[in-house]
Amino acid sequence: MPNAYVITRDGGPEEEGSVRPAAAAGAAAHPLDDPVGTALRGPHAHFAERRGRVLRYPPEVTPWVAMPQDPGPADWADAAALAGPGAMVCVTAFRELPPPDWEIVFHAEGVQLVDEGVAAEPFPDAVRLGPADVPEMLDLVARTRPGPFEPRTVELGTYLGVRRDGVLVAMAGERMRPPGWSEISAVCTDESVRGRGIGGGLVRAVAHEVRRRGDIPFLHAAADNTGAVRLYESLGFALRRRTAFLGALVPGGPAV
């Protein structure tokens, strides 16, 4: 995740056991309270890999995993079995830290924003991106670091990009799709063209595609990425809730 920071169980930005940003235990009251799980049980069910109560996307699509509301040792064992020794498990809207033998790699406070008046419209410079464009997309992601983007992420929904002199310099697309909602993600603009309204134009264009399908756009951002949050609010997104992102390594990987 962008702007993530490392924590340990001995303290740091959050004390052990204090990371409980989501709603109280119990069934999710809204599809966006558990966007990974509701997407994998709904419109993205064809991507879902399941073991017990744990669901995940194939790692080459996106690394996000849906844990149950009240994960116990058996659930963490199922997550470990799905991912494999040493693999990264990424969780959003998490309520519990993983067992002590899991290594926490990142924890980032985040915000979830929803469409409350986005002026959704096509962007004249935008072109549709697909599997043939993945090498360029991965190169842009490496330069701009918008967050997880894998070789098959493009399969999750519409992706639009802008090229200058034949080079992909900006893009935005869709990631999780809880019922009735679509997440705008991978919003990134090369430093050479920032400040020209391209990122905002692409977000509005993806929102236009989302609305045409009958869904409502939403997105996530790191809470300390204040520039991005201000941009999204200026486009017509509003804070729905605060959340958090967690990445941890399954025990049993090779010694470093």
Side-chain angles (χ1 to χ4, degrees):
M1 292 296 303
N3 302 304
Y5 49 85
V6 176
I7 63 171
T8 70
R9 295 176 186 276
D10 297 324
E14 296 287 348
E15 294 297 328
E16 180 178 3
S18 68
V19 187
R20 295 170 180 263
H30 190 285
L32 298 191
D33 289 348
D34 177 20
V36 181
T38 53
L40 288 172
R41 289 187 290 270
H44 280 171
H46 57 291
F47 287 112
E49 297 180 357
R50 179 190 294 270
R51 186 179 176 99
R53 301 194 299 168
V54 178
L55 291 167
R56 75 162 184 173
Y57 286 92
E60 65 273 17
V61 175
T62 192
W64 297 105
V65 174
M67 299 294 292
Q69 298 279 319
D70 54 345
D75 299 307
W76 287 107
D78 285 337
L82 272 177
M88 174 82 79
V89 169
C90 297
V91 185
T92 185
F94 65 92
R95 292 158 176 78
E96 304 287 346
L97 289 173
D101 55 344
W102 289 57
E103 178 186 350
I104 295 174
V105 176
F106 71 78
H107 160 246
E109 299 299 321
V111 292
Q112 185 182 81
L113 306 168
V114 296
D115 176 4
E116 287 195 359
V118 175
E121 59 184 2
F123 188 53
D125 290 350
V127 296
R128 288 187 178 270
L129 303 175
D133 302 299
V134 166
E136 286 183 279
M137 298 167 81
L138 290 172
D139 182 65
L140 178 62
V141 165
R143 300 198 306 271
T144 57
R145 301 179 64 83
F149 188 90
E150 306 299 333
R152 290 180 56 202
T153 301
V154 71
E155 298 176 21
L156 293 175
T158 298
Y159 273 83
L160 302 176
V162 170
R163 288 190 173 90
R164 292 289 183 263
D165 298 322
V167 177
L168 185 68
V169 294
M171 72 174 184
E174 297 178 76
R175 189 168 59 181
M176 291 178 274
R177 283 189 58 193
W181 299 80
S182 290
E183 181 194 25
I184 297 177
S185 183
V187 181
C188 51
T189 305
D190 187 79
E191 186 176 2
S192 65
V193 294
R194 287 177 188 166
R196 304 181 188 181
I198 294 175
L202 286 173
V203 170
R204 286 192 293 267
V206 176
H208 177 72
E209 296 292 326
V210 169
R211 284 193 189 159
R212 285 207 310 172
R213 193 172 58 239
D215 285 353
I216 303 170
F218 76 103
L219 48 79
H220 291 101
D224 62 355
N225 191 351
T226 54
V229 174
R230 283 197 299 268
L231 170 63
Y232 298 141
E233 290 176 337
S234 74
L235 293 174
F237 288 90
L239 177 69
R240 176 181 177 266
R241 71 197 296 261
R242 297 188 178 277
T243 186
F245 313 106
L246 177 75
L249 297 179
V250 176
V256 177

